[in-house]
Amino acid sequence: LKIIEIDSLNSIAYNSAGNLFLGDLNDLEKAEEYLLKGYELDNNQFNLNFNLARLYNKKEEYALSIKYYEKAIEINPQDKDLYYYITTPYEKLRMYEEAEKNYLKAIELDAKDSDVYFDLGELYEYNFKIYEKAISQYLKILEFENEDHVNAYYAIARIYFYDLNDNEKAVQYLKKAND
């Protein structure tokens, strides 16, 4: 905070202070104050937009979170994590098609992130009720080495048991999960 006293026009300093309050100090009001001041000074700074998106996601102000994630994506369109992170506020607002679009963009940029496949599988399973698409996402996780496949096997078994009424396949995948 000393640097802000010395250079009150330093947007990076405001971002750093805001990030500190957002994370370690967990004071969302102070975080918002500092981040918005930094944003006033430079609204094209990636970290300010990213941290404002995180802040508003934490505050459950999802429309604002999306606004700042979209700005961060505009600044850094090759950051696959941004496409993944923006899915949370979209899902909270029940904007499932937008969430799906961003999961698919994250996969396009990095086809080796099992978390994205798993969460996309859950979106298909719980929100769209498209069980075959959900299973296909979970199966993609099984292609990755050095991944914990247990959750994917359980998810597939759950769909076969509860949604597709195929107990035989459900048991088959439960056995794989326990191997």
Side-chain angles (χ1 to χ4, degrees):
L1 301 179
K2 275 269 193 227
I3 194 159
I4 292 172
E5 290 175 24
I6 296 167
D7 183 4
S8 65
L9 298 178
N10 186 334
S11 64
I12 295 170
Y14 283 100
N15 177 65
S16 295
N19 193 39
L20 181 66
F21 283 107
L22 179 59
D24 294 341
L25 301 178
N26 199 30
D27 183 339
L28 301 184
E29 298 310 312
K30 279 277 192 209
E32 184 175 34
E33 177 187 330
Y34 283 107
L35 292 171
L36 286 175
K37 178 61 178 168
Y39 186 83
E40 266 178 46
L41 296 170
D42 183 1
N43 66 359
N44 286 312
Q45 190 194 107
F46 172 80
N47 287 333
L48 278 166
N49 284 282
F50 177 67
N51 286 327
L52 281 163
R54 289 177 48 230
L55 166 76
Y56 289 119
N57 201 47
K58 256 186 164 178
K59 290 180 76 171
E60 298 180 0
E61 295 180 37
Y62 300 117
L64 281 173
S65 179
I66 289 167
K67 170 188 169 182
Y68 291 106
Y69 274 130
E70 285 177 344
K71 180 69 173 176
I73 288 169
E74 182 183 310
I75 295 166
N76 191 1
Q78 295 305 307
D79 187 334
K80 69 101 181 161
D81 290 330
L82 293 174
Y83 296 96
Y84 180 59
Y85 297 147
I86 199 173
T87 61
T88 299
Y90 276 131
E91 286 187 49
K92 295 289 187 180
L93 292 174
R94 295 186 156 102
M95 298 173 71
Y96 302 126
E97 290 81 11
E98 287 298 316
E100 177 189 30
K101 181 178 85 174
N102 282 283
Y103 280 125
L104 293 172
K105 182 65 177 179
I107 289 169
E108 177 187 316
L109 293 171
D110 178 6
K112 300 277 186 218
D113 189 332
S114 62
D115 290 335
V116 178
Y117 288 106
F118 192 85
D119 291 351
L120 179 57
E122 287 190 327
L123 180 74
Y124 288 138
E125 179 182 356
Y126 294 115
N127 302 109
F128 288 120
K129 310 288 188 214
I130 305 173
Y131 303 115
E132 293 305 324
K133 265 188 155 179
I135 290 171
S136 79
Q137 297 307 309
Y138 299 137
L139 287 172
K140 287 176 185 169
I141 297 167
L142 303 178
E143 297 171 13
F144 301 135
E145 290 182 30
N146 303 322
E147 285 295 327
D148 180 8
H149 296 143
V150 173
N151 288 333
Y153 283 127
Y154 276 125
I156 295 167
R158 179 180 62 233
I159 291 172
Y160 279 120
F161 183 77
Y162 290 109
D163 302 309
L164 300 178
N165 297 316
D166 187 336
N167 293 344
E168 189 175 311
K169 278 196 175 177
V171 168
Q172 176 187 344
Y173 280 98
L174 278 175
K175 284 181 180 176
K176 288 181 180 185
N178 291 319
D179 284 343

